[in-house]
């Protein structure tokens, strides 16, 4: 996976940085994370009307000022 990422970044395209869920959670320092915190995007308040795989490597969350 890392080699594919390095090859992509070396292609001249806009660089992309892979981050772990813990690294993403770090962007919310100083904010109150809204439940369910940092999770795969389809698992963040999923809508039954959308048929999206729950096992996806795109993580996100919502934070608010305290």
């Amino acid at each position: 996976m890392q080699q594919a990422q390095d090859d992509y970044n070396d292609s001249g395209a806009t660089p992309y940085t892979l981050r772990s869920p813990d690294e993403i959670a770090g962007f919310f320092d100083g904010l109150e994370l809204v439940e369910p915190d940092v999770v795969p995007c389809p698992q963040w308040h999923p809508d039954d009307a959308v048929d999206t795989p729950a096992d996806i490597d795109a993580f996100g969350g919502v934070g608010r000022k305290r």
Side-chain angles (χ1 to χ4, degrees), residues 7 18 20 26 29 31 33-34 36-37 48 52 54-55 57 60 64:
D7 292 345
L18 298 174
S20 70
D29 284 350
L31 299 173
L33 265 172
V34 177
D37 298 331
D48 293 337
T52 305
D55 191 20
D57 287 334
R64 60 181 160 212

Side-chain angles (χ1 to χ4, degrees), residues 42 44-53:
W44 207 96
H45 293 255
D47 182 349
D48 293 337
V50 177
D51 187 23
T52 305

Side-chain angles (χ1 to χ4, degrees):
M1 186 68 138
Q2 187 59 52
Q3 184 60 50
Q5 185 60 53
D6 292 341
D7 292 345
Y8 175 83
N9 287 344
D10 291 341
S11 74
T14 301
Y16 190 83
T17 303
L18 298 174
R19 292 185 172 89
S20 70
D22 287 337
E23 290 172 313
I24 294 169
F27 289 116
F28 295 96
D29 284 350
L31 299 173
E32 177 186 351
L33 265 172
V34 177
E35 289 291 329
D37 298 331
V38 174
V39 295
C41 291
Q43 293 178 15
W44 207 96
H45 293 255
D47 182 349
D48 293 337
V50 177
D51 187 23
T52 305
D55 191 20
I56 190 169
D57 287 334
F59 291 80
V62 172
R64 60 181 160 212
K65 287 185 176 183
R66 297 179 193 172

